[in-house]
Amino acid sequence: MNKVVRNVDEALVGIEDGMTLMLGGFGLCGIPENSISQLVKLGVKNLTCISNNAGVDDFGLGLLLQTKQVKKMISSYVGENDEFERQMLSGELEVDLIPQGSLAERCRAGGAGIPAFFTPAGYGTEVAEGKEVRIFNGKPHILESALTADFAIVKAWKGDTEGNLIYRETAMNFNPMMAMAGKITIAEVEELVPAGELDPNFIHTPGIFVQRIFKGEKFEKRIEQRTVRKRN
Amino acid sequence: MNKVVRNVDEALVGIEDGMTLMLGGFGLCGIPENSISQLVKLGVKNLTCISNNAGVDDFGLGLLLQTKQVKKMISSYVGENDEFERQMLSGELEVDLIPQGSLAERCRAGGAGIPAFFTPAGYGTEVAEGKEVRIFNGKPHILESALTADFAIVKAWKGDTEGNLIYRETAMNFNPMMAMAGKITIAEVEELVPAGELDPNFIHTPGIFVQRIFKGEKFEKRIEQRTVRKRN
Amino acid sequence: MALDKTGIAKRIAQELQNGWYVNLGIGIPTLVANYVPDGLDVEFQSENGILGMGPFPFEGEEDADLINAGKQTITVKKGAVFFDSATSFAMIRGKHVQLTVLGAMEVSQNGDIANWKIPGKMVKGMGGAMDLVASAENIIVAMMHSNKAGESKILKECTLPLTGVGCVKKVVTELAVIEIKDGKFHLLERAPGVSVEEIVSKTEGDLVVPDFVPEMVI
Amino acid sequence: MALDKTGIAKRIAQELQNGWYVNLGIGIPTLVANYVPDGLDVEFQSENGILGMGPFPFEGEEDADLINAGKQTITVKKGAVFFDSATSFAMIRGKHVQLTVLGAMEVSQNGDIANWKIPGKMVKGMGGAMDLVASAENIIVAMMHSNKAGESKILKECTLPLTGVGCVKKVVTELAVIEIKDGKFHLLERAPGVSVEEIVSKTEGDLVVPDFVPEMVI
């Protein structure tokens, strides 16, 4: 089933003001760079963005914050971003902070038709406020609900024309669960190959979860914390 | 972290009467053949076996039924097994039938520290009896609990010394979730390779879930329904 | 003339739409894969962990690791994917599969289905059927209009233990295509040469019959 | 003399046991990886999706796709595995990780920990910390005994918003190794040359001090 669209313009058709988007990535690693640039170009506003992080001031989701296109962020950690901080403290930006594991599981649940599940994470903290608590095996757990999005935008290493995706190293992170949880899922890939070229035993995201796929024009793949050791 | 044990005898040390075992496989595909033979040899009794199917009379879990080592089966489908039918109808064998998707998800939940989740499967049927019902998005769901086991026994295609596993084709099935849900997980593999030989991007079961791994002596890999087409 | 199993499969194949992922149950539903209309791009999912199923293998090329949910040896098409059972039911429960076709022992006019258990007889289990019917938005039942004892399987209420409630949208039998809507059966089409009277007489549930009932085109 | 950060990391490294999978938080905990005792086989898990982390890359060999949870470029050891975030937290929540080491702003004598939020200041988020502390059976906190204002961080009750309740088992600071048990702090070891009096004076919570408090051997 051919999912290929020609370019990022075609890929993002239908994204409108006020929609909820999921965006894959951890820090600046494995983020859909080309789609984020296109979102800036489109100028869609009042977005709710579900993403583990919020980028940095001049890269990643930080770009959408600069242009004030984001109404609400749903994330686990939003440091390293001055504009974010300013908007958050001034009340321009709503922020919903979620434990990282609960965020990942809630996205998976959304894609897997599990409306809610119990987790111990956050019990006894402000994260648990207003949530049902139940004891299992002598330990309190809180009920967390599924997350879904109008569009999920993920970044993969390679993809085929059927929308099957593989990720590289830790650039996988949130991308597979978000790919499952989008009403429409858009994948931008570094390399797009014909169906049959990827080994069917080793696909990370089966194409059934992906509605549109395109080869990204350019990947900067910026490094956030360059840590190295000296050669002897 | 070296998880290699020398053989099936060493791999199954500690399995005792009355324990709960998970066994991977779908039909006769991807079942831990060597470990099942060893269980027969060990003669451990009153086992509770969590396995999608129950094998056939003379292969797979059917072997453990012949020797009356199983007290209870937790499965989604148990056809193709006359001895099973006899024991079930005579009341010798307890059987807990679970929708296949709930079985898979309950095993995953057990391995993932999710004590319970809601699913629509089984609502309005006898499967829902005694279970909490709750409406999400206008649709009734039932609360299902996690499954775990004293030992999970899985079969993989290749494994490395760290316990990392890859499966082949549809022989994957229930093996990955069960590998997560065992207090002790034993993997039998067709090929055992040194750490570093498997591509870290394409591991199906990370070694953290596996406590013991060994190369199976012999794999019959019997076919249950041989369906073919004629060449023109 | 009443349809044979192949005819039922052919009629159901006409329901396929381009771009659909489809799960076919064991028996008649499996045959549907053989009659996909030309030019339609559909993919078949099997709940044991495969997307992109192909036809049976040539003799001598069977692979014990490659089976469908009916445990039959199969092949894969280009672009196929293998995955675990949890991911497979994530696809099903998460409504990523657009059509489910399965067999049934009974269907009721509010869309209930019974297809897994006959009290007093050997129970083999529900397999993936309960997950499929609870989640699929589009379920077609492929079955014979009556059971072996000659009793209608298209009922006001199911008498057997249920597999799912209010889920079936359409039934295709050897006699008719019937839609389920507003708590009633609606006769859409009749098999070539089969009379409306015969269908009515063999249907126990409330059947709405329009003035004109077209013949199926197989 | 009070330990430096390296000293704290070295002391915590002594807690490692053969065969353990370990999650190290950002800051001092990360340093623990540098002091694994010879002959011990431990694997480091990072919640962004990696098992089998190695040291930082050589200059020029950084890979943007290969980072740890602190977003630092890293390398992998033989036998490493990459996986998605849901699987990563399945490992953590499912208790497959034997030890979690993380920093804290406050720890209370019943094992509560606060390390993610200061009311009125910019909140960056809890990241994976709440999942880690809620599930880990063995949590060691690595931190300074007092905050920058000189106030004890080892308290009867936390004053900051909690990250988790009743979960911390051990605290290693620049002054002491303290166990949390039965709702109290228990002084196990003191840093070389640091007096019991200094530790007592800098500990706000109830501290049980045995007759003999050995010096750490670093």
Side-chain angles (χ1 to χ4, degrees), chain D residues 96-144:
Chain D
H96 304 279
V97 173
Q98 279 79 26
L99 174 65
T100 289
V101 184
L102 76 177
M105 299 167 183
E106 295 178 349
V107 172
S108 81
Q109 62 198 36
N110 75 332
D112 294 354
I113 176 172
N115 75 348
W116 77 285
K117 184 173 183 177
I118 301 174
K121 289 206 180 174
M122 170 64 186
V123 180
K124 294 193 168 188
M126 68 292 282
M130 282 194 184
D131 308 272
L132 281 158
V133 301
S135 297
E137 303 213 300
N138 196 2
I139 299 174
I140 299 178
V141 165
M143 66 175 190
M144 292 296 148

Short mmCIF file of all heavy atoms in Angstrom, two decimals, chain D residues 96-144:
data_model
loop_
_atom_site.label_atom_id
_atom_site.label_comp_id
_atom_site.label_asym_id
_atom_site.label_seq_id
_atom_site.Cartn_x
_atom_site.Cartn_y
_atom_site.Cartn_z
N HIS D 96 13.13 -4.72 36.21
CA HIS D 96 14.22 -5.46 35.59
C HIS D 96 15.56 -4.75 35.79
O HIS D 96 16.61 -5.31 35.51
CB HIS D 96 13.94 -5.65 34.10
CG HIS D 96 12.62 -6.32 33.83
ND1 HIS D 96 12.46 -7.69 33.91
CD2 HIS D 96 11.40 -5.83 33.54
CE1 HIS D 96 11.19 -8.00 33.65
NE2 HIS D 96 10.53 -6.88 33.42
N VAL D 97 15.50 -3.51 36.27
CA VAL D 97 16.71 -2.74 36.58
C VAL D 97 16.94 -2.86 38.09
O VAL D 97 16.04 -2.58 38.89
CB VAL D 97 16.52 -1.26 36.17
CG1 VAL D 97 17.69 -0.41 36.62
CG2 VAL D 97 16.33 -1.15 34.66
N GLN D 98 18.12 -3.32 38.48
CA GLN D 98 18.34 -3.65 39.90
C GLN D 98 18.73 -2.46 40.76
O GLN D 98 18.60 -2.51 41.99
CB GLN D 98 19.41 -4.74 40.03
CG GLN D 98 18.89 -6.15 39.79
CD GLN D 98 18.74 -6.50 38.33
OE1 GLN D 98 19.41 -5.94 37.48
NE2 GLN D 98 17.83 -7.41 38.02
N LEU D 99 19.26 -1.42 40.16
CA LEU D 99 19.69 -0.27 40.96
C LEU D 99 19.49 1.03 40.19
O LEU D 99 19.82 1.13 39.00
CB LEU D 99 21.18 -0.41 41.33
CG LEU D 99 21.80 0.80 42.05
CD1 LEU D 99 21.17 1.01 43.42
CD2 LEU D 99 23.31 0.63 42.18
N THR D 100 18.95 1.99 40.89
CA THR D 100 18.81 3.34 40.35
C THR D 100 19.60 4.30 41.23
O THR D 100 19.45 4.28 42.45
CB THR D 100 17.32 3.75 40.35
OG1 THR D 100 16.65 3.00 39.35
CG2 THR D 100 17.15 5.23 40.05
N VAL D 101 20.44 5.09 40.62
CA VAL D 101 21.20 6.11 41.36
C VAL D 101 20.76 7.47 40.82
O VAL D 101 20.80 7.69 39.62
CB VAL D 101 22.72 5.94 41.17
CG1 VAL D 101 23.48 6.95 42.03
CG2 VAL D 101 23.15 4.52 41.49
N LEU D 102 20.32 8.34 41.69
CA LEU D 102 19.93 9.66 41.19
C LEU D 102 20.18 10.76 42.22
O LEU D 102 20.41 10.46 43.40
CB LEU D 102 18.49 9.67 40.69
CG LEU D 102 17.30 9.69 41.63
CD1 LEU D 102 16.02 9.77 40.81
CD2 LEU D 102 17.23 8.45 42.51
N GLY D 103 20.17 11.97 41.76
CA GLY D 103 20.38 13.12 42.63
C GLY D 103 19.08 13.54 43.28
O GLY D 103 18.01 13.06 42.94
N ALA D 104 19.18 14.43 44.28
CA ALA D 104 17.97 14.90 44.96
C ALA D 104 18.20 16.28 45.55
O ALA D 104 19.33 16.68 45.83
CB ALA D 104 17.56 13.93 46.06
N MET D 105 17.11 17.00 45.73
CA MET D 105 17.15 18.27 46.46
C MET D 105 16.89 18.02 47.94
O MET D 105 17.46 18.68 48.80
CB MET D 105 16.08 19.21 45.93
CG MET D 105 16.26 19.57 44.46
SD MET D 105 14.75 20.37 43.86
CE MET D 105 15.15 20.62 42.14
N GLU D 106 16.04 17.05 48.24
CA GLU D 106 15.71 16.71 49.62
C GLU D 106 15.37 15.22 49.69
O GLU D 106 14.79 14.66 48.77
CB GLU D 106 14.47 17.48 50.10
CG GLU D 106 14.64 18.97 50.21
CD GLU D 106 13.37 19.68 50.65
OE1 GLU D 106 12.29 19.05 50.69
OE2 GLU D 106 13.45 20.88 50.97
N VAL D 107 15.71 14.65 50.84
CA VAL D 107 15.30 13.27 51.14
C VAL D 107 14.76 13.28 52.56
O VAL D 107 15.31 13.94 53.44
CB VAL D 107 16.50 12.30 51.03
CG1 VAL D 107 16.12 10.91 51.53
CG2 VAL D 107 17.01 12.22 49.60
N SER D 108 13.66 12.56 52.78
CA SER D 108 13.11 12.51 54.14
C SER D 108 13.36 11.14 54.76
O SER D 108 13.68 10.18 54.07
CB SER D 108 11.61 12.80 54.14
OG SER D 108 10.90 11.64 53.79
N GLN D 109 13.17 11.09 56.10
CA GLN D 109 13.54 9.87 56.82
C GLN D 109 12.59 8.70 56.58
O GLN D 109 12.87 7.60 57.02
CB GLN D 109 13.68 10.17 58.32
CG GLN D 109 12.41 10.66 58.99
CD GLN D 109 12.74 11.33 60.33
OE1 GLN D 109 13.76 12.02 60.46
NE2 GLN D 109 11.88 11.13 61.32
N ASN D 110 11.49 8.94 55.91
CA ASN D 110 10.68 7.78 55.51
C ASN D 110 10.96 7.40 54.04
O ASN D 110 10.23 6.59 53.47
CB ASN D 110 9.19 8.02 55.75
CG ASN D 110 8.60 8.95 54.72
OD1 ASN D 110 9.32 9.79 54.18
ND2 ASN D 110 7.32 8.81 54.45
N GLY D 111 11.99 8.01 53.47
CA GLY D 111 12.39 7.62 52.12
C GLY D 111 11.76 8.44 51.01
O GLY D 111 11.93 8.14 49.83
N ASP D 112 11.03 9.50 51.35
CA ASP D 112 10.49 10.38 50.31
C ASP D 112 11.65 11.12 49.63
O ASP D 112 12.68 11.39 50.26
CB ASP D 112 9.54 11.43 50.90
CG ASP D 112 8.28 10.82 51.47
OD1 ASP D 112 8.06 9.60 51.30
OD2 ASP D 112 7.51 11.57 52.10
N ILE D 113 11.43 11.46 48.39
CA ILE D 113 12.45 12.20 47.66
C ILE D 113 11.81 13.36 46.90
O ILE D 113 10.70 13.23 46.37
CB ILE D 113 13.25 11.28 46.69
CG1 ILE D 113 14.27 12.08 45.86
CG2 ILE D 113 12.32 10.49 45.78
CD1 ILE D 113 15.19 11.20 45.04
N ALA D 114 12.51 14.50 46.89
CA ALA D 114 12.06 15.66 46.10
C ALA D 114 13.24 16.07 45.24
O ALA D 114 14.32 16.36 45.76
CB ALA D 114 11.65 16.80 47.02
N ASN D 115 13.06 16.03 43.95
CA ASN D 115 14.19 16.40 43.08
C ASN D 115 13.77 17.00 41.76
O ASN D 115 14.54 17.01 40.80
CB ASN D 115 15.13 15.21 42.86
CG ASN D 115 14.56 14.18 41.89
OD1 ASN D 115 13.39 14.23 41.55
ND2 ASN D 115 15.39 13.25 41.47
N TRP D 116 12.54 17.53 41.68
CA TRP D 116 12.16 18.00 40.34
C TRP D 116 11.58 19.40 40.29
O TRP D 116 11.50 19.98 39.21
CB TRP D 116 11.19 17.01 39.70
CG TRP D 116 9.77 17.07 40.19
CD1 TRP D 116 9.31 16.60 41.38
CD2 TRP D 116 8.64 17.62 39.50
NE1 TRP D 116 7.96 16.82 41.48
CE2 TRP D 116 7.52 17.43 40.33
CE3 TRP D 116 8.47 18.25 38.26
CZ2 TRP D 116 6.24 17.86 39.98
CZ3 TRP D 116 7.20 18.66 37.90
CH2 TRP D 116 6.10 18.47 38.75
N LYS D 117 11.22 19.96 41.41
CA LYS D 117 10.47 21.21 41.32
C LYS D 117 10.71 22.10 42.53
O LYS D 117 10.64 21.62 43.68
CB LYS D 117 8.98 20.86 41.24
CG LYS D 117 8.06 22.04 41.04
CD LYS D 117 6.63 21.59 40.81
CE LYS D 117 5.73 22.76 40.54
NZ LYS D 117 4.37 22.33 40.24
N ILE D 118 10.96 23.38 42.28
CA ILE D 118 11.02 24.37 43.34
C ILE D 118 9.94 25.40 43.06
O ILE D 118 10.01 26.11 42.06
CB ILE D 118 12.40 25.06 43.39
CG1 ILE D 118 13.49 24.01 43.62
CG2 ILE D 118 12.44 26.13 44.49
CD1 ILE D 118 14.90 24.56 43.54
N PRO D 119 8.89 25.44 43.91
CA PRO D 119 7.78 26.36 43.64
C PRO D 119 8.30 27.78 43.44
O PRO D 119 9.17 28.25 44.17
CB PRO D 119 6.92 26.24 44.89
CG PRO D 119 7.19 24.86 45.41
CD PRO D 119 8.64 24.63 45.12
N GLY D 120 7.77 28.45 42.42
CA GLY D 120 8.16 29.82 42.14
C GLY D 120 9.34 29.93 41.21
O GLY D 120 9.61 30.98 40.66
N LYS D 121 10.05 28.82 41.05
CA LYS D 121 11.16 28.83 40.09
C LYS D 121 10.75 28.07 38.83
O LYS D 121 9.76 27.35 38.81
CB LYS D 121 12.40 28.17 40.70
CG LYS D 121 13.05 29.00 41.79
CD LYS D 121 14.51 28.67 41.91
CE LYS D 121 15.14 29.53 43.01
NZ LYS D 121 16.52 29.15 43.27
N MET D 122 11.53 28.24 37.79
CA MET D 122 11.28 27.53 36.54
C MET D 122 11.28 26.04 36.80
O MET D 122 12.17 25.48 37.42
CB MET D 122 12.38 27.89 35.54
CG MET D 122 12.40 27.05 34.29
SD MET D 122 10.90 27.27 33.28
CE MET D 122 11.17 26.03 32.02
N VAL D 123 10.24 25.39 36.32
CA VAL D 123 10.13 23.94 36.46
C VAL D 123 10.48 23.30 35.13
O VAL D 123 9.84 23.57 34.11
CB VAL D 123 8.69 23.55 36.84
CG1 VAL D 123 8.58 22.04 36.99
CG2 VAL D 123 8.29 24.25 38.12
N LYS D 124 11.51 22.48 35.15
CA LYS D 124 11.92 21.85 33.89
C LYS D 124 11.20 20.54 33.64
O LYS D 124 11.12 20.08 32.51
CB LYS D 124 13.43 21.64 33.91
CG LYS D 124 14.19 22.97 33.92
CD LYS D 124 15.66 22.79 33.62
CE LYS D 124 16.31 24.15 33.34
NZ LYS D 124 17.69 24.01 32.87
N GLY D 125 10.69 19.93 34.69
CA GLY D 125 9.97 18.67 34.51
C GLY D 125 10.65 17.53 35.23
O GLY D 125 11.81 17.64 35.63
N MET D 126 9.91 16.45 35.41
CA MET D 126 10.43 15.32 36.17
C MET D 126 11.18 14.34 35.29
O MET D 126 11.84 13.44 35.80
CB MET D 126 9.31 14.62 36.92
CG MET D 126 8.30 13.89 36.05
SD MET D 126 7.27 15.00 35.06
CE MET D 126 6.10 15.57 36.28
N GLY D 127 11.09 14.49 33.98
CA GLY D 127 11.73 13.50 33.11
C GLY D 127 11.31 12.10 33.52
O GLY D 127 10.14 11.86 33.79
N GLY D 128 12.29 11.21 33.63
CA GLY D 128 11.98 9.84 34.01
C GLY D 128 12.06 9.57 35.49
O GLY D 128 11.87 8.43 35.94
N ALA D 129 12.32 10.61 36.29
CA ALA D 129 12.61 10.38 37.71
C ALA D 129 11.43 9.77 38.47
O ALA D 129 11.62 8.89 39.31
CB ALA D 129 13.03 11.69 38.37
N MET D 130 10.22 10.21 38.18
CA MET D 130 9.07 9.67 38.93
C MET D 130 8.84 8.20 38.64
O MET D 130 8.48 7.44 39.53
CB MET D 130 7.81 10.46 38.60
CG MET D 130 7.75 11.79 39.32
SD MET D 130 6.10 12.50 39.23
CE MET D 130 6.40 14.07 40.03
N ASP D 131 9.04 7.80 37.40
CA ASP D 131 8.92 6.39 37.05
C ASP D 131 10.01 5.58 37.74
O ASP D 131 9.76 4.51 38.28
CB ASP D 131 9.06 6.19 35.53
CG ASP D 131 8.12 7.09 34.75
OD1 ASP D 131 6.98 6.68 34.50
OD2 ASP D 131 8.53 8.21 34.38
N LEU D 132 11.21 6.12 37.73
CA LEU D 132 12.34 5.41 38.33
C LEU D 132 12.14 5.21 39.82
O LEU D 132 12.28 4.09 40.34
CB LEU D 132 13.64 6.17 38.06
CG LEU D 132 14.22 5.96 36.66
CD1 LEU D 132 15.16 7.09 36.27
CD2 LEU D 132 14.96 4.62 36.56
N VAL D 133 11.79 6.27 40.54
CA VAL D 133 11.70 6.13 42.00
C VAL D 133 10.45 5.34 42.41
O VAL D 133 10.45 4.69 43.45
CB VAL D 133 11.73 7.48 42.74
CG1 VAL D 133 13.03 8.23 42.42
CG2 VAL D 133 10.51 8.33 42.42
N ALA D 134 9.42 5.36 41.58
CA ALA D 134 8.20 4.63 41.95
C ALA D 134 8.38 3.13 41.80
O ALA D 134 7.67 2.35 42.43
CB ALA D 134 7.03 5.09 41.08
N SER D 135 9.33 2.72 40.98
CA SER D 135 9.42 1.29 40.65
C SER D 135 10.68 0.61 41.16
O SER D 135 10.66 -0.58 41.45
CB SER D 135 9.36 1.12 39.12
OG SER D 135 8.12 1.56 38.64
N ALA D 136 11.78 1.34 41.24
CA ALA D 136 13.05 0.71 41.60
C ALA D 136 12.98 0.15 43.01
O ALA D 136 12.41 0.77 43.90
CB ALA D 136 14.18 1.72 41.48
N GLU D 137 13.51 -1.05 43.21
CA GLU D 137 13.50 -1.64 44.55
C GLU D 137 14.72 -1.18 45.32
O GLU D 137 14.80 -1.33 46.52
CB GLU D 137 13.50 -3.16 44.43
CG GLU D 137 12.31 -3.63 43.61
CD GLU D 137 11.76 -4.96 44.05
OE1 GLU D 137 12.52 -5.94 44.02
OE2 GLU D 137 10.57 -5.00 44.45
N ASN D 138 15.67 -0.63 44.61
CA ASN D 138 16.95 -0.29 45.22
C ASN D 138 17.37 1.07 44.68
O ASN D 138 17.81 1.17 43.54
CB ASN D 138 17.95 -1.38 44.83
CG ASN D 138 19.19 -1.35 45.68
OD1 ASN D 138 19.31 -0.54 46.60
ND2 ASN D 138 20.13 -2.21 45.36
N ILE D 139 17.16 2.10 45.50
CA ILE D 139 17.45 3.46 45.05
C ILE D 139 18.51 4.08 45.95
O ILE D 139 18.35 4.10 47.17
CB ILE D 139 16.19 4.34 45.11
CG1 ILE D 139 15.10 3.78 44.20
CG2 ILE D 139 16.52 5.79 44.74
CD1 ILE D 139 13.78 4.50 44.32
N ILE D 140 19.57 4.56 45.35
CA ILE D 140 20.58 5.29 46.10
C ILE D 140 20.56 6.74 45.63
O ILE D 140 20.59 7.00 44.42
CB ILE D 140 21.99 4.70 45.89
CG1 ILE D 140 22.03 3.24 46.36
CG2 ILE D 140 23.04 5.52 46.62
CD1 ILE D 140 23.37 2.56 46.14
N VAL D 141 20.49 7.64 46.58
CA VAL D 141 20.56 9.06 46.25
C VAL D 141 22.00 9.54 46.43
O VAL D 141 22.62 9.28 47.45
CB VAL D 141 19.60 9.88 47.13
CG1 VAL D 141 19.93 11.37 47.04
CG2 VAL D 141 18.16 9.64 46.71
N ALA D 142 22.50 10.21 45.40
CA ALA D 142 23.82 10.83 45.45
C ALA D 142 23.60 12.34 45.50
O ALA D 142 23.03 12.91 44.58
CB ALA D 142 24.61 10.46 44.20
N MET D 143 24.06 12.97 46.60
CA MET D 143 23.85 14.42 46.67
C MET D 143 24.74 15.05 47.74
O MET D 143 25.40 14.34 48.50
CB MET D 143 22.38 14.73 46.98
CG MET D 143 21.93 14.29 48.36
SD MET D 143 20.21 14.82 48.70
CE MET D 143 20.10 14.44 50.45
N MET D 144 24.76 16.37 47.76
CA MET D 144 25.44 17.07 48.83
C MET D 144 24.55 17.04 50.06
O MET D 144 23.33 17.03 49.96
CB MET D 144 25.71 18.53 48.40
CG MET D 144 26.73 18.63 47.28
SD MET D 144 28.35 18.02 47.85
CE MET D 144 29.00 17.34 46.34
#
